[in-house]
Amino acid sequence: MINSGKSVVIGTSNEVEVPVSYTLTHKVKLDDQWVFLYRGTLADEANVRATMFGPDFTTVSSIKKNCTERILIEPKEDLTNADAATWKAGGLAVKSSGGGDTDGVAVTTKLKRYAKLTANATPEPVTAGGTVTVTGKLTRANWNTHKYAGYGSQSVKLQFRPADSDTWTTLKTVTSSSTGGLKATAKGSESGAWRWSFAGTSTTGAAKSGGDSVAVR
């Protein structure tokens, strides 16, 4: 299993360790083994992310081990925007007698670009029944420039949570501008917090802004 079955979401600078767990069954004596992630074909070494930590294993029998490893991904060194895609897992076993076997396995994971959301609700406070305007911006990691840039043409939900509640309710959905800008209006009927929520896409992780509180008076 890769990353506990979840997508791997990566920003612009922080290194990410991807946990991998698997069971190894072998009929010959091995000197070493590890798994790796790759995109495209196994022959394309530029698109291989190798294990950096491990393997650690528990011996089940003379021919079976339960193993864990960690694959280190450094966005500034390893990634471009084209890497936001489905990656496959492969395994390499080195035989004590010499030689080894490399195989792809039927396990995949998605590498996604990290997204951020901001929110600002005004006026503060608002007269009961008055209009609250909520603005914000949706950005995501650009692995080519290693900066965050606006993410346009995306559906983003405006949500509200009353001051005495822990439950967020979606009031409307808007589309981000070409630069990632967001804007919506709603009636200020009670005090509470406003935020934006983005579900993510096949290449970009989900995001929620912090809540911006507005008192109704």
Side-chain angles (χ1 to χ4, degrees), residues 12-143:
T12 59
S13 59
N14 290 342
E15 300 173 351
V16 174
E17 291 184 12
V18 182
V20 180
S21 59
Y22 61 96
T23 297
L24 174 69
T25 303
H26 56 99
K27 296 181 179 180
V28 299
K29 187 176 180 180
L30 300 177
D31 277 343
D32 205 353
Q33 87 280 334
W34 59 86
V35 296
F36 53 87
L37 299 180
Y38 70 99
R39 184 168 69 85
T41 65
L42 282 171
D44 189 358
E45 294 185 3
N47 287 328
V48 173
R49 303 292 176 261
T51 296
M52 299 297 292
F53 306 101
D56 300 316
F57 59 86
T58 301
T59 300
V60 179
S61 69
S62 60
I63 63 169
K64 189 174 183 180
K65 301 174 183 175
N66 291 330
C67 306
T68 59
E69 299 179 11
R70 290 174 289 158
I71 297 174
L72 178 66
I73 299 179
E74 301 179 79
K76 287 188 175 181
E77 301 293 334
D78 297 333
L79 300 177
T80 67
N81 290 339
D83 290 320
T86 298
W87 286 64
K88 294 168 278 189
L92 174 63
V94 180
K95 302 176 184 178
S96 297
S97 58
D101 291 318
T102 302
D103 296 296
V105 295
V107 178
T108 62
T109 191
K110 285 184 177 293
L111 264 60
K112 294 187 175 184
R113 296 157 65 177
Y114 193 92
K116 296 180 179 181
L117 272 171
T118 61
N120 182 40
T122 58
E124 300 178 27
V126 65
T127 303
T131 298
V132 176
T133 300
V134 187
T135 57
K137 189 170 185 177
L138 173 64
T139 59
R140 64 171 174 169
N142 185 318
W143 292 338

